[in-house]
Amino acid sequence: MSLNVLDHPLAQHLVALLRDVETEPGAFRIAADKLTSLLVWEATRDLPMVEGTVQTPLEITPAFRLAKPIAAIPILRAGLGMLESVTTLFPDVRVGYIGLERNHSTAIASSYYRKLPRVDDCVSLCLDPMLATGGSASQAISLLKEVGATQIKMVCVVAAPEGVARLTADHPDVPIFSAALDRGLNDHKYILPGLGDFGDRLYGTF
């Protein structure tokens, strides 16, 4: 399976803050933003580059630039908490949205919104903080592929083995970047130990 767990002391410190039930929404948002920056940094480590030149104040020198555009596709609504980190790192990023709502009884997601930029010529980052069953992520990636995306990376905060297995089976070409691989899912399909409902904790909608 193509799972990349971020092995960095700051990342683990931020995961601890996100897990802590005492962390208030404001501090939760800050920690999520910082952690997403680290995850996106890692996920974009192998972006293709093109070599050219640039004129410095003193001389012309070789310089490297990104060869492809970047697209960020958060899965609504929790994925919105990861978007600002991407737009800060990549100001020219293309942004799209996929709205999927999970039925808490069946754990199956239904689509209610989709607005996507051109993705056939770029690297697409699918953003969803919790990779639980993997159903929503798999569905979102399928939607991206339907409109021509060929290079997709999944970026999440916490992953469950069940979600990793589902995504690896459905989309073996999509690498997964996460800050933690947790134990598994409970009877309600929530990640254990997890960090609760990411969207609720992000926006204070308990």
Side-chain angles (χ1 to χ4, degrees):
M1 65 183 176
S2 184
L3 173 65
N4 304 272
V5 178
L6 187 58
D7 182 19
H8 191 288
L10 178 56
Q12 299 313 305
H13 173 77
L14 293 168
V15 169
L17 288 175
L18 294 174
R19 291 194 194 279
D20 191 343
V21 70
E22 300 296 331
T23 300
E24 296 292 335
F28 190 92
R29 285 192 290 271
I30 292 171
D33 180 73
K34 291 180 178 179
L35 181 57
T36 301
S37 294
L38 293 175
L39 285 164
V40 171
W41 185 279
E42 187 65 25
T44 56
R45 180 184 294 275
D46 62 348
L47 289 179
M49 305 293 292
V50 291
E51 185 176 4
T53 61
V54 66
Q55 175 71 59
T56 78
L58 300 175
E59 64 182 23
I60 296 175
T61 186
F64 292 87
R65 301 182 188 276
L66 295 177
K68 289 186 175 183
I70 304 293
I73 316 294
I75 299 176
L76 304 178
R77 72 177 167 153
L80 285 175
M82 305 174 73
L83 179 59
E84 187 173 354
S85 302
V86 185
T87 58
T88 298
L89 289 171
F90 300 97
D92 296 326
V93 66
R94 302 172 186 175
V95 177
Y97 303 92
I98 293 177
L100 298 173
E101 185 173 17
R102 189 175 79 160
N103 183 304
H104 290 281
S105 299
T106 65
I108 298 174
S110 58
S111 175
Y112 65 88
Y113 184 75
R114 179 175 68 174
K115 183 71 172 180
L116 298 173
R118 180 182 176 185
V119 293
D120 63 295
D121 64 337
C122 66
V123 177
S124 297
L125 304 177
C126 186
L127 310 174
D128 194 8
M130 309 298 287
L131 183 61
T133 65
S136 295
S138 179
Q139 188 174 343
I141 290 169
S142 292
L143 291 173
L144 286 173
K145 288 182 175 181
E146 284 178 12
V147 294
T150 58
Q151 191 171 354
I152 306 169
K153 297 169 184 281
M154 182 73 212
V155 183
C156 58
V157 172
V158 175
E162 295 91 333
V164 172
R166 168 72 181 273
L167 205 58
T168 301
D170 292 352
H171 302 284
D173 57 319
V174 176
I176 304 165
F177 295 86
S178 180
L181 178 63
D182 278 8
R183 184 170 75 251
L185 304 177
N186 66 11
D187 292 339
H188 300 287
K189 307 301 182 183
Y190 278 88
I191 300 175
L192 296 174
L195 44 82
D197 187 295
F198 191 94
D200 284 345
R201 297 196 63 194
L202 190 71
Y203 299 113
T205 52
F206 301 106

